[in-house]
Amino acid sequence: MKYVDEFRRGDIARGMAAHIHTLVQPDRQYRLMEFCGGHTHAIARYGLTGLLPDNIRLIHGPGCPVCVLPIGRVDSAIELALRPDVILCSYGDTLRVPASNKMSLYQARAKGADVRMVYSTSDALQIARDNPHKQVVFFAIGFETTTPPTALALIQARQEKLANFSVFCNHVLTPPAMRHLLAAGDAVQLDGFIGPSHVSTVIGSAPYAAVAAEFAKPVVIAGFEPLDVLQSVAMLVEQINAGRTEVETQFTRAVTAQGNAKARSLVAQTMTLRDSFEWRGLGQVPHSALAIHPDFAEFDAELRFALAYRHVPDHKACECGAILRGQKRPQDCKVFAIVCNPDNPLGSCMVSSEGACAAHYHYGRFVEGQPA
Amino acid sequence: MCLAMPVRISQLLPDDMAVVDMDGVSREVSVALIDTPQEGDYVILHVGYAIGKLDAEEAARTLALMDQLAASQSEATP
């Protein structure tokens, strides 16, 4: 497949890895956080950790939208789904996230709730057109990649005067989360970030400049194929060796400094910044999420159904919070691959295929001798 | 759910829609989020929407750089 297979070539990967071995300074530690779950998945799937020198440690970050969704928000979605007048639409992964009282959206469906898995916001709009006597709510989650399609759905719903459609908005933003992690100080020691690529196709690389400058950490916006990740690691090592703390882009084939202006403008028209939003593992993060803009209030499910947010603590045995902060690895969790597995996840990091626990469960746990 | 993939626009349709080719499989997607989509363009597809274009020249440059680095290593370690 073009623009995929070329970036997965094993011979080049070995050459790139050898190059990284020549770059690293042996008396130095390189602690690099891959922010995106997509990178976590690629690193585990292609065994990239095993190709790198021992003094490069890759640390999983909070960049998986399903993983960072707090239980209270899933509870609200379940509460909506259980209403007899509601059809709740959502992307597939959110259906399996465990919430309070051993419930998930799948279990709500088993109890009779009308929960529909959609592949796109346009599917949710079509369900609203087809069911005029039901309230159709789109449970919107995701980072800046998933947000513009929600914005378009809001605009289209208003154009069509779809009075039975609304959005339960849980869209979150990457730069404030990165800032929050770095501001936590000694909680996790990091020397640089493997930065989000698909998010950056939308927002551009420029929004990371302030974070890199303020905290003196380099950021390399990296593509998701294995060769992209290796090249980005090399670029980070070179910056760290030279004492530079800049934002660089490895994924130049799709990312510019400004990103996708059209997509950003649609989001700005339809959504507005929240003062604060709870992330699983990170707690309340200021200015880190979006709500429906007051101009589109008629399509805001939180207002239409008077949803009140309630914080719910994670399961005591689950280490998702510490894993999302980069403080623990999946194999450090005592329930990992025992009571918590992809068929029966106890925590969110095991639910999504991009979650750190699911990635390590599928690809990493048979090479336990190596650092994850 | 956050994963996206490169696909090729094989046909433009009315209302900002397009047919894309995904390794031989055709699918209808929205191109409403990108400027001036053209048949033959490669775009990044995410949840049914093209969110950005792929720049063929930049891709070729990245691949050439990787090739060069890998080749220099195989020369250094015979």
Side-chain angles (χ1 to χ4, degrees):
Chain A
M1 192 169 166
K2 198 167 178 199
Y3 297 120
V4 175
D5 296 339
E6 312 95 298
F7 294 93
R8 293 182 179 176
R9 278 178 54 184
D11 54 337
I12 299 197
R14 280 184 287 278
M16 299 274 289
H19 172 64
I20 294 169
H21 278 265
T22 64
L23 289 180
V24 292
Q25 296 169 353
D27 52 347
R28 199 166 199 161
Q29 291 296 313
Y30 301 84
R31 293 155 297 193
L32 311 178
M33 175 174 272
E34 80 267 9
F35 190 92
C36 283
H39 287 132
T40 304
H41 182 86
I43 288 162
R45 181 174 178 188
Y46 297 100
L48 301 186
T49 311
L51 290 173
L52 296 175
D54 289 342
N55 55 341
I56 295 183
R57 184 170 166 218
L58 300 178
I59 300 165
H60 313 301
C64 157
V66 177
C67 304
V68 296
L69 192 66
I71 291 174
R73 291 264 158 193
V74 188
D75 279 352
S76 294
I78 292 170
E79 180 189 322
L80 277 177
L82 288 170
R83 289 176 58 121
D85 56 335
V86 164
I87 299 175
L88 189 96
C89 303
S90 176
Y91 297 127
D93 283 346
T94 54
L95 303 189
R96 300 197 306 127
V97 180
S100 299
N101 306 318
K102 297 188 177 164
M103 281 286 274
S104 65
L105 283 165
Y106 261 139
Q107 274 143 352
R109 185 152 80 176
K111 286 181 186 293
D114 196 342
V115 178
R116 313 264 181 106
M117 189 177 100
V118 293
Y119 292 100
S120 142
T121 52
S122 56
D123 294 348
L125 287 172
Q126 190 56 44
I127 292 168
R129 289 182 204 111
D130 294 344
N131 295 274
H133 304 299
K134 288 273 194 174
Q135 285 291 327
V136 174
V137 183
F138 177 60
F139 181 23
I141 80 156
F143 286 94
E144 292 92 332
T145 34
T146 322
T147 309
T150 305
L152 266 182
L154 286 164
I155 289 168
Q156 202 162 351
R158 185 154 80 177
Q159 278 169 355
E160 293 181 31
K161 298 188 171 61
L162 267 178
N164 66 328
F165 178 79
S166 60
V167 172
F168 177 30
C169 185
N170 296 276
H171 286 299
V172 286
L173 305 170
T174 44
M178 212 178 252
R179 178 184 297 275
H180 185 80
L181 273 169
L182 290 167
D186 293 338
V188 56
Q189 294 288 323
L190 297 174
D191 300 298
F193 280 99
I194 298 173
S197 57
H198 292 150
V199 158
S200 303
T201 55
V202 176
I203 64 169
S205 59
Y208 300 98
V211 185
E214 184 181 343
F215 295 97
K217 303 288 178 199
V219 178
V220 172
I221 310 288
F224 282 120
E225 298 304 335
L227 294 187
D228 293 321
V229 176
L230 287 171
Q231 190 183 23
S232 303
V233 168
M235 290 165 76
L236 280 168
V237 168
E238 285 181 303
Q239 280 212 51
I240 293 165
N241 288 349
R244 288 187 293 121
T245 55
E246 295 160 23
V247 178
E248 292 181 323
T249 300
Q250 179 277 333
F251 197 53
T252 52
R253 59 191 184 274
V255 172
T256 59
Q258 273 67 45
N260 182 335
K262 193 174 182 183
R264 282 191 289 116
S265 149
L266 290 165
V267 172
Q269 284 171 48
T270 54
M271 291 176 221
T272 185
L273 204 56
R274 289 182 193 262
D275 289 338
S276 188
F277 190 82
E278 186 186 340
W279 293 52
R280 192 192 291 252
L282 306 187
Q284 289 288 336
V285 182
H287 305 125
S288 67
L290 299 169
I292 307 288
H293 195 282
D295 288 353
F296 283 79
E298 60 190 301
F299 299 104
D300 187 344
E302 282 179 79
L303 298 177
R304 186 175 292 191
F305 299 97
L307 293 178
Y309 181 68
R310 189 170 65 91
H311 166 76
V312 180
D314 289 344
H315 192 288
K316 278 185 196 150
C318 174
E319 296 281 14
C320 280
I323 291 166
L324 290 166
R325 291 191 298 274
Q327 291 167 330
K328 288 196 172 174
R329 302 173 304 167
Q331 60 270 48
D332 297 330
C333 176
K334 64 185 174 193
V335 293
F336 173 75
I338 305 169
V339 294
C340 183
N341 58 64
D343 291 331
N344 187 20
L346 190 68
S348 59
C349 300
M350 191 62 95
V351 173
S352 161
S353 61
E354 297 124 70
C357 295
H360 189 64
Y361 184 94
H362 286 297
Y363 305 116
R365 68 197 162 113
F366 302 112
V367 282
E368 284 283 289
Q370 297 174 7
Chain B
M1 59 156 284
C2 217
L3 293 179
M5 61 196 298
V7 296
R8 183 179 166 276
I9 296 177
S10 52
Q11 191 191 347
L12 289 171
L13 302 172
D15 301 323
D16 284 332
M17 297 297 284
V19 179
V20 295
D21 175 61
M22 299 160 51
D23 233 5
V25 178
S26 289
R27 209 180 135 188
E28 270 189 36
V29 306
S30 169
V31 288
L33 293 173
I34 56 171
D35 287 322
T36 61
Q38 305 284 328
E39 287 175 11
D41 280 351
Y42 277 84
V43 293
I44 294 179
L45 179 70
H46 179 59
V47 294
Y49 287 80
I51 56 168
K53 284 188 193 176
L54 270 167
D55 182 328
E57 279 179 27
E58 283 293 340
R61 208 168 295 153
T62 304
L63 282 168
L65 185 64
M66 288 174 174
D67 258 329
Q68 201 182 327
L69 280 174
S72 69
Q73 287 305 315
S74 60
E75 280 161 24
T77 50

